[in-house]
């Protein structure tokens, strides 16, 4: 467990660092890009990016299936099965990539018909083709990333993501400064991803040298197994689009195109919250798959309890920070005209906080192939989200769209998902909820000083906000470390965080 713990901690640390770096870079660049493009042009880019993001549905949930079955095969040291999964998935993804290119070509031909001018149509055509090519290359690379994830090499993935971030930020500044505007953003997205794809291929074969590209490893039965798992992942993926990616379309149609930029300010910060937390705990899906492959069900229960405890602590603090410092930050970051995004931020963060408390249980259901229930229930949640967002937007504008996202999310994560998860792993529901409530109470107690510090010291200034955030983090973590973990958990965390020091001692 200590070896796995070290891999998870190192990978999670890089993931958190990468997410934080991504947030900082976006915070620094977004005002520059918005002011260079204007509210309307940036709104157009946000819509185009959201639209091309729908290419992701062509994944068909396959990425989760690849990670699940590769991790399980590695858990029982079945190298032949790993090769079968790897080759079968790669052939499927090559077909998906070719499909994306065809769709992009069709959309590019049709671009002039939904543009206001020939110049705008030509611009859309170029952007669609560039982003289409970028996405087409991304699909085959998912197999190599899945192999690294199954091998728990999240540290490598974190470094690759950081490289992509640095390249994209540099290219965005270069292209926008050169006057390329939206076309420059598209080229930055395409070019920044190429080095990462090459590195994923190289290190997948280096870390798993038994992997072979052989036609004999392709198998219909393996493909059927992957699709059997991925079908429900695909449904969940579609539901996720309705829950989190259709909001911009609702805002544009119900409130106005310019309002998309204001809503994006809140939604971007909320997405960082979700990405950082998922980045910390994303590796547990492979851990659960390995534990199931080894038939170690007691380890599954222990891992769920421990991961949920940490998830409550982490997500509660981040949510506190976004709510406590969000208004001051938005005012300094984007300016007072964008402060109408703050109420949306509060609503979205509260909903996501309830959801992210349950993030380890979500990983468990995928890790042990019990996500069929999630497919059905998440679809219901997504439809309720869309209906509520449209209805409430008529009365409350962009805040109504945020409320439409929050309400089904809270209901699902408090009253539905925990019941099913407890049934699957054999933990009494009351015990599970009592554990979450106890952890939340400890987190709330440790937030008293950060709240007082915020009231007295916080101001719309980057240096002041950074200082308040750092002191608040220290004041939150130290007492939690002392009161929240038993001796066994503390020793495990120490071995994972400080492996060399613990080995010498």
């Amino acid at each position: 467990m200590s070896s796995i713990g070290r891999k998870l901690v190192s990978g999670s640390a890089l993931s958190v660092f990468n997410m934080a770096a991504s947030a900082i870079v976006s915070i620094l660049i977004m005002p520059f890009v918005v002011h260079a493009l204007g509210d309307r042009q940036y709104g157009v880019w946000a819509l185009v990016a959201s639209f091309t993001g729908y290419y992701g549905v062509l994944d068909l949930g396959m990425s989760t299936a690849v990670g699940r079955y590769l991790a399980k095969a590695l858990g029982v040291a079945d190298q032949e099965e790993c090769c079968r999964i790897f080759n079968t998935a790669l052939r499927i993804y090559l077909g998906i990539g070719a499909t994306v290119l065809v769709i992009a070509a069709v959309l590019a031909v049709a671009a002039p018909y939904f543009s206001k001018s020939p110049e705008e149509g030509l611009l859309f055509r170029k952007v669609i083709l560039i982003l289409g090519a970028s996405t087409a290359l991304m699909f085959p690379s998912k197999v190599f990333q899945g192999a690294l994830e199954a091998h728990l090499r999240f540290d490598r993935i974190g470094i690759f993501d950081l490289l992509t971030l640095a390249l994209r930020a540099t290219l965005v500044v270069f292209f926008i400064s050169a006057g390329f505007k939206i076309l420059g953003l598209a080229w930055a997205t395409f070019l920044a991803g190429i080095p990462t794809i090459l590195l994923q291929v190289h290190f997948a074969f280096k870390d798993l040298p038994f992997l072979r590209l052989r036609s004999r490893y392709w198998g219909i039965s393996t493909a059927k197994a992957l699709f059997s798992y991925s079908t429900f992942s695909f449904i969940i993926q579609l539901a996720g689009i309705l829950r989190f990616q259709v909001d911009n379309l609702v805002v544009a149609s119900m409130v106005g195109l310019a309002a998309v930029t204001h809503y994006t300010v809140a939604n971007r910060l909320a997405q960082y919250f979700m990405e950082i937390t998922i980045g910390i705990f994303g590796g547990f899906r492979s851990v659960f798959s390995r534990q199931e492959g080894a038939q170690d069900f007691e380890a599954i229960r222990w891992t769920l309890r421990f991961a949920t405890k940490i998830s409550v602590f982490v997500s509660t603090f981040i949510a506190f920070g976004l709510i406590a410092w969000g208004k001051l930050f938005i005012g300094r970051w984007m300016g007072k005209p964008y402060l109408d995004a703050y109420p949306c931020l509060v609503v979205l963060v509260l909903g996501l906080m309830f959801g992210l408390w349950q993030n380890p249980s979500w990983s468990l259901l995928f890790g042990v192939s019990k996500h069929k229930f999630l497919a059905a229930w998440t679809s219901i949640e997504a439809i309720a989200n869309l209906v509520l967002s449209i209805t409430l937007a008529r009365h409350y504008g962009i805040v109504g769209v945020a409320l439409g996202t929050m309400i089904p999310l809270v209901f699902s994560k408090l009253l539905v998902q925990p019941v099913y998860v407890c049934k699957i792993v054999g933990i009494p529901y009351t015990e599970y909820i009592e554990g979450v409530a106890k952890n939340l109470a400890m987190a709330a107690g440790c937030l008293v000083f950060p709240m007082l510090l915020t009231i007295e010291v916080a101001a719309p200034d980057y240096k002041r906000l950074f200082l308040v955030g750092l002191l608040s983090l220290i004041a939150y973590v130290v007492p939690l470390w002392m009161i929240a973990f038993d001796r066994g958990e503390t020793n495990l965390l120490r071995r994972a965080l400080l492996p060399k020091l613990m080995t010498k001692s």
Side-chain angles (χ1 to χ4, degrees), residues 288-305 364 368 370 424-427:
F288 287 128
S289 291
R290 283 178 167 233
Q291 290 172 339
E292 190 213 13
Q295 298 293 294
D296 194 346
F297 300 108
E298 184 58 38
I300 289 176
R301 286 188 284 270
W302 187 91
T303 302
L304 176 63
R305 290 190 183 98
L364 182 143
V368 300
K370 297 294 184 181
I424 292 297
V425 299
I427 297 176

Side-chain angles (χ1 to χ4, degrees), residues 134 164 167-168 171 187-198 200:
S134 177
T164 300
L167 286 175
R168 186 174 186 276
L171 290 171
W187 274 116
T189 301
F190 173 76
L191 295 174
I194 293 177
T196 289
I197 293 174
L198 297 176
Q200 285 174 343

Side-chain angles (χ1 to χ4, degrees), residues 86 90 140-149 200-201 204-205 213:
F86 179 81
L90 182 59
S141 72
K142 287 186 175 185
V143 181
F144 300 94
Q145 179 173 328
L148 292 173
E149 289 178 351
Q200 285 174 343
V201 173
F205 286 119
L213 292 174

Side-chain angles (χ1 to χ4, degrees), residues 115 138 178 439 446 460:
S115 303
M138 176 194 70
N439 295 329
C446 294

Side-chain angles (χ1 to χ4, degrees), residues 485-501:
F485 300 102
D486 59 36
R487 180 174 297 180
E489 292 170 340
T490 302
N491 288 335
L492 175 63
L493 288 172
R494 285 175 176 168
R495 287 196 300 270
L497 293 169
L498 303 169
K500 294 183 180 179
L501 180 63

Side-chain angles (χ1 to χ4, degrees), residues 244 270 273-274 277 311-323 345-359 406 409-410 413-414 436 440 443 447 476:
F244 300 116
F273 174 29
M274 183 167 63
T277 308
S311 185
V312 170
F313 294 154
V314 171
S315 56
T316 299
F317 179 78
I318 299 176
F320 164 81
L322 287 171
I323 294 172
L345 176 64
V346 173
V347 172
L348 290 172
V349 165
L350 287 174
L352 286 173
M353 181 180 69
F354 285 103
L356 292 171
W357 288 344
Q358 308 294 325
N359 189 51
M406 171 194 175
L409 188 61
V410 172
K413 300 305 180 181
L414 281 184
V436 171
L440 179 59
L447 285 173
Y476 180 74

